[in-house]
Amino acid sequence: MGWWEINADTLARGRFVVSPLDETLACLKMLHAGVAGHPGERAWLDTHRPAHLRRMAADPVTALLVASGLGREWNADFLTPTPVEGQSFADGVARIRAARPEVARADLAVSLGGTLPAALDRDDLPERAAALLEEVWAEAVRPDWDRRRRVLEADVVARTAQVSRGGWATVLDALRPGTRWLGDNRLQINLNPYPPRELSGAELLLVPITPQRHGWVAWEEPERYAMVYPCAGALADDGARHVPAALGALLGPARAGVLTLLGTPMSTSQLVGVTGQGLGSVGRHLRVLLEAGLVERRRAGRSVLYSRTPAGEVLVEAGAGSGTGPG
């Protein structure tokens, strides 16, 4: 297994970072694999994958680059630069474009675990990769970026609260499959037989993405290490946020949207992040729903989580049977 040695000082300086480039990279991986983690991703793939497949069919060199660089066990390093806090998509993709051609070719060979195909023995690979990511960003990610950012920020809020309740070990244990806190300053990052790395004094970044089947690690030794992980599925599933039309007519669209989301327990901060509504508005909706007996609340450590009651479940299910409207 691969693991990192992380001392207390490095953990104390660890922080969460939202990265538009990593979100786009994860979306490219999903377009390439064609596998959805939930109904919202399936709808997104149905919308955007046909154009992606046409683009790949028209450009076999870039198609081979993607297939070679996004490996099952290892991504080509030049495609996944370690995030920098506050970095824009444009600045991030510029780092990929600036990769040296010989480095890109070497990284692809590592990702493939073998010899580089002759078709990829060329100097324009970084430019091709950057141009493809710019297209994915412009056509499939940026139009929805405000919602995606709210989801990612809500996940950060939830994980930060978890750190304060149970410490870093509880958070690191649950980030993604294959990740586990082993004790004795050791963090298992995957199940692959890679040599351990010692992170003392380095910057540790945790980077959420909305696609649910992807995640990876990246580093720039010895300064910066990052773990990219899928955010909480209940937050990411846009398909779960379509409000039944009848329920919206009864409660109002905004309040009905809050009730629809609470099939999974969420905090006020998470609801604010996912819905885009203000804290005061969400608080008023929760108060009305509590008084009506449609939601309940319980304390989990320092957080208060809200969820639907059986009466709320019946109301949502009855509304769903009457058709749906936009969330």
Side-chain angles (χ1 to χ4, degrees):
M1 64 184 175
W3 57 274
W4 291 346
E5 184 175 346
I6 306 176
N7 62 24
D9 288 341
T10 299
L11 273 182
R13 293 194 303 271
R15 61 186 185 277
F16 293 87
V17 172
V18 172
S19 167
L21 176 62
D22 285 284
E23 180 74 2
T24 306
L25 283 162
C27 287
L28 175 58
K29 288 173 72 74
M30 185 162 57
L31 288 169
H32 174 63
V35 180
H38 55 65
E41 287 186 354
R42 182 73 263 166
W44 183 87
L45 277 172
D46 289 344
T47 298
H48 297 290
R49 194 162 191 254
H52 174 73
L53 293 177
R54 289 193 297 271
R55 184 185 301 125
M56 294 298 92
D59 186 354
V61 172
T62 301
L64 183 59
L65 166 60
V66 171
S68 302
L70 301 181
R72 291 187 176 182
E73 294 187 356
W74 195 262
N75 298 318
D77 286 350
F78 86 100
L79 292 176
T80 56
T82 310
V84 175
E85 188 170 14
Q87 180 176 260
S88 67
F89 172 81
D91 289 342
V93 81
R95 295 170 63 195
I96 294 176
R97 181 172 273 116
R100 298 198 309 275
E102 66 273 17
V103 170
R105 290 192 294 268
D107 289 348
L108 287 168
V110 172
S111 176
L112 285 167
T115 304
L116 188 73
L120 295 180
D121 188 12
R122 51 196 299 153
D123 287 347
D124 64 348
L125 300 179
E127 172 58 37
R128 286 177 175 272
L132 176 61
L133 285 164
E134 287 171 339
E135 290 186 17
V136 174
W137 165 256
E139 297 172 12
V141 180
R142 185 172 60 186
D144 194 28
W145 176 243
D146 285 346
R147 181 194 66 83
R148 289 176 183 270
R149 186 181 63 245
R150 290 197 303 268
V151 170
L152 298 172
E153 290 172 348
D155 185 86
V156 168
V157 167
R159 306 278 182 178
T160 302
Q162 192 178 6
V163 171
S164 68
R165 294 195 304 268
W168 275 103
T170 60
V171 173
L172 296 172
D173 256 349
L175 276 183
R176 63 189 186 98
T179 300
R180 188 161 62 96
W181 184 251
L182 301 173
D184 296 326
N185 294 340
R186 295 178 302 155
L187 170 64
Q188 176 181 306
I189 59 169
N190 53 42
L191 300 177
N192 299 321
Y194 299 129
R197 294 178 181 272
E198 205 274 326
L199 274 63
S200 293
E203 183 179 28
L204 176 64
L205 303 176
L206 303 176
V207 187
I209 51 174
T210 66
Q212 292 296 288
R213 299 177 65 88
H214 304 292
W216 60 88
V217 294
W219 56 76
E220 294 175 5
E221 292 184 303
E223 297 89 3
R224 187 183 305 115
Y225 291 75
M227 181 175 293
V228 180
Y229 68 91
C231 70
L235 298 176
D237 185 0
D238 192 40
R241 290 198 288 280
H242 292 294
V243 178
L247 187 63
L250 178 66
L251 299 178
R255 187 167 298 152
V258 171
L259 182 62
T260 302
L261 279 167
L262 290 177
T264 298
M266 290 190 183
S267 68
T268 303
S269 297
Q270 286 176 306
L271 287 166
V272 169
V274 174
T275 64
Q277 300 180 41
L279 180 61
S281 295
V282 169
R284 287 191 294 273
H285 296 322
L286 289 171
R287 184 167 59 252
V288 171
L289 294 170
L290 280 165
E291 292 173 353
L294 300 177
V295 303
E296 59 188 0
R297 62 185 173 191
R298 60 182 175 81
R299 182 167 292 280
R302 299 180 184 177
S303 297
V304 175
L305 301 178
Y306 295 83
S307 58
R308 289 199 297 260
T309 63
E313 294 283 357
V314 169
L315 192 59
V316 170
E317 290 174 7
S322 302
T324 60

